[in-house]
Amino acid sequence: MEDFVKFGIIGVGAVWRYHKIGTKNNSKIKFVSAYDIDESKLRNAEKYSQLKTYTTLDEFFKSDIEAVLILVPHYLHKDMVIASAEAGKHILCEKPMAPSLEECDEMIKATKKAGVKFMIAENHRFLPAHQLIKQMLEKGFIGDVMLGRTYEGAYCAPNEFLDPDWWHFCYDKGGGGVVADQGVHKFTMLNWFLGEVDSAQCWLGKTMNSPPNKGEDTAIILLHYKCGAMITVDLSSTTVHPLTNRTELHGTKGTILEDHSWTDPIKVFSTHPEAEIKGEFYSPKVEHGSYPAYYKISMGKEDDYFASCILEDKMPEFTPEQAREGVAVVLLSYLSAKKGSMANMEELVKVYKTSGTKSILDGLEGIVQKNYKFLNWN
Ligand SMILES: NC(=O)c1ccc[n+]([C@@H]2O[C@H](COP(=O)([O-])OP(=O)(O)OC[C@H]3O[C@@H](n4cnc5c(N)ncnc54)[C@H](O)[C@@H]3O)[C@@H](O)[C@H]2O)c1
């Protein structure tokens, strides 16, 4: 086997750019070919990325590749993953894994049957600042986490956002609004830090008058974890600032603050023996850059890690089952919003076993709070 992995790209849209720049000069990865339904995107991929392009999936799979990077709208993730598994390709597929738990199950079954490596491209797991927080939590820097909050604000251009044909945030193609699109990052990260969620309470809002086929642009979710931590998740795709994320965790022995827009993204207050400064906030050094650098860094490390798993024949530490748990918290949040009260995991499992988790999205538009009525965007 060669000492690099040849990848084909399925869907050379917006996020392809970050995978490309994140892996520039990475000798483990060669991007070889691309498949897309948009021929103009394929022409760009030929011209600017020197990819061999295909307009049929069958021909694409015959190109000289052993792995695929799937970067298509969420409703297509399942079919693309299954087709790639059946073609014997290792698979790195963008988040969220899929809009429903049943689709996640089918993806897991098909990839296991084919014996290919399969990882969801959850770049938040690979951001050095998040990896450092995980290490500090494991070492007990802040004791047992009891309280916290996390925020993602990813301002979307209103002309795209309000367009009913732009698939992001659509119930059918995106699997919901900001909770599905951005919230899944936070839920997957928090599960990694804190373990499993047992219940959620969620509010959904629209700050812009987007078409009815689009989900919420703003949400607040209160999560209760089995470990006893209570966390607030604030999400928006309309808040006005360069894209950023922020997390605050308070434990029985200290506090960690993190903000992607800070040069040194972490501040820690701890008396742990390994704390660089005890009893005062300090900022440990960690590789970072505010938007867009953190995309490049985290996606570069994620893609590098997946290539190493193939080259070294090891199973990715971030499993598809863990990615499915992130989707479960998305659906639990929607279930709570729909009920207008707290929902717990047992209720979600009941829906899974009866009407199916896709049914949770039915009628959501009716309960989204139309807050744009009170806001002046002009
Ligand atoms: N990790 C992150 O921070 C991050 C950031 C942005 C997007 N994403 C994820 O990346 C994925 C793609 O998002 P995007 O913003 O690049 O979307 P996009 O709309 O810009 O690109 C999607 C591409 O898929 C192509 N496509 C659509 N239908 C297709 C089909 N049937 N067959 C082949 N190609 C098809 C489109 O032509 C387009 O080129 C999503 O899962 C999204 O959530 C992740």
Side-chain angles (χ1 to χ4, degrees):
M1 192 177 179
E2 283 153 323
D3 55 359
F4 56 84
V5 181
K6 286 176 268 183
F7 278 86
I9 319 299
I10 302 183
V12 273
V15 81
W16 156 237
R17 177 169 173 264
Y18 293 110
H19 288 277
K20 182 181 156 183
I21 57 173
T23 53
K24 198 174 163 212
N25 304 325
N26 185 326
S27 60
K28 280 186 223 163
I29 296 174
K30 278 203 192 326
F31 292 119
V32 172
S33 56
Y35 164 71
D36 201 298
I37 46 162
D38 183 336
E39 296 216 12
S40 68
K41 298 261 174 60
L42 291 179
R43 296 295 79 80
N44 282 338
E46 282 168 3
K47 189 170 170 192
Y48 299 110
S49 309
Q50 290 74 50
L51 300 180
K52 211 162 160 16
T53 62
Y54 297 87
T55 51
T56 72
L57 209 46
D58 281 350
E59 289 304 312
F60 165 77
F61 285 138
K62 286 183 203 149
S63 66
D64 184 20
I65 54 172
E66 52 249 11
V68 294
L69 176 56
I70 298 178
L71 313 175
V72 291
H74 307 159
Y75 76 108
L76 296 168
H77 285 185
K78 182 201 77 176
D79 287 349
M80 293 301 180
V81 164
I82 293 176
S84 303
E86 287 173 351
K89 310 298 176 190
H90 300 296
I91 303 159
L92 181 60
C93 172
E94 264 296 350
K95 48 53 64 175
M97 188 166 176
S100 69
L101 294 180
E102 293 78 359
E103 288 162 278
C104 296
D105 293 342
E106 286 187 60
M107 293 156 89
I108 292 172
K109 197 170 157 202
T111 49
K112 284 205 191 315
K113 186 173 170 209
V116 295
K117 306 216 186 295
F118 175 36
M119 190 175 90
I120 295 301
E122 179 42 79
N123 60 316
H124 285 229
R125 288 271 303 227
F126 294 88
L127 188 79
H130 288 170
Q131 294 197 327
L132 184 58
I133 292 174
K134 171 74 176 164
Q135 284 165 22
M136 290 193 293
L137 291 173
E138 281 179 347
K139 286 182 175 172
F141 267 56
I142 65 164
D144 295 334
V145 176
M146 52 196 178
L147 183 71
R149 62 172 56 242
T150 188
Y151 164 74
E152 178 163 272
Y155 183 74
C156 293
N159 60 331
E160 283 187 323
F161 188 69
L162 300 175
D163 176 357
D165 296 326
W166 192 62
W167 69 268
H168 277 282
F169 301 97
C170 288
Y171 291 110
D172 58 352
K173 295 185 172 170
V178 72
V179 176
D181 201 293
Q182 294 168 217
V184 74
H185 282 303
K186 318 303 287 183
F187 303 145
T188 312
M189 177 193 78
L190 288 167
N191 281 3
W192 182 44
F193 289 166
L194 303 172
E196 288 173 40
V197 165
D198 62 32
S199 50
Q201 170 114 31
C202 171
W203 274 12
L204 304 174
K206 282 194 177 188
T207 61
M208 282 191 190
N209 188 3
S210 59
N213 66 332
K214 298 245 178 186
E216 73 291 346
D217 58 45
T218 302
I220 296 179
I221 303 126
L222 309 176
L223 295 175
H224 186 261
Y225 283 79
K226 285 185 180 168
C227 69
M230 296 193 295
I231 308 284
T232 315
V233 181
D234 302 330
L235 304 167
S236 178
S237 51
T238 59
T239 42
V240 186
H241 54 69
L243 220 139
T244 200
N245 278 262
R246 168 176 326 135
T247 297
E248 189 176 307
L249 296 172
H250 303 282
T252 50
K253 291 188 175 148
T255 284
I256 297 173
L257 309 176
E258 188 273 346
D259 193 314
H260 285 24
S261 67
W262 297 339
T263 310
D264 292 320
I266 297 177
K267 293 187 206 299
V268 195
F269 182 89
S270 171
T271 52
H272 189 272
E274 286 182 41
E276 288 164 39
I277 303 173
K278 292 174 191 56
E280 258 179 58
F281 273 108
Y282 72 94
S283 298
K285 283 285 165 220
V286 64
E287 181 185 1
H288 191 71
S290 58
Y291 176 80
Y294 67 74
Y295 265 107
K296 179 181 147 190
I297 294 169
S298 57
M299 288 191 190
K301 289 188 184 296
E302 157 200 282
D303 298 1
D304 176 84
Y305 173 74
F306 188 66
S308 299
C309 289
I310 297 171
L311 292 169
E312 295 164 27
D313 194 20
K314 60 183 186 195
M315 291 311 282
E317 223 179 280
F318 176 45
T319 65
E321 287 80 3
Q322 289 168 336
R324 181 189 185 276
E325 285 309 304
V327 174
V329 184
V330 169
L331 292 161
L332 182 69
S333 304
Y334 284 142
L335 187 61
S336 151
K338 218 166 146 179
K339 278 179 71 185
S341 62
M342 194 184 81
N344 62 43
M345 277 295 180
E346 286 75 42
E347 290 169 84
L348 180 66
V349 171
K350 202 166 160 197
V351 176
Y352 173 73
K353 289 184 176 163
T354 54
S355 44
T357 57
K358 241 186 187 150
S359 70
I360 294 170
L361 296 182
D362 297 341
L364 261 191
E365 178 62 12
I367 58 95
V368 176
Q369 305 206 14
K370 310 295 185 297
N371 296 326
Y372 52 79
K373 292 181 197 155
F374 311 103
L375 304 171
N376 179 4
W377 283 98
N378 296 320

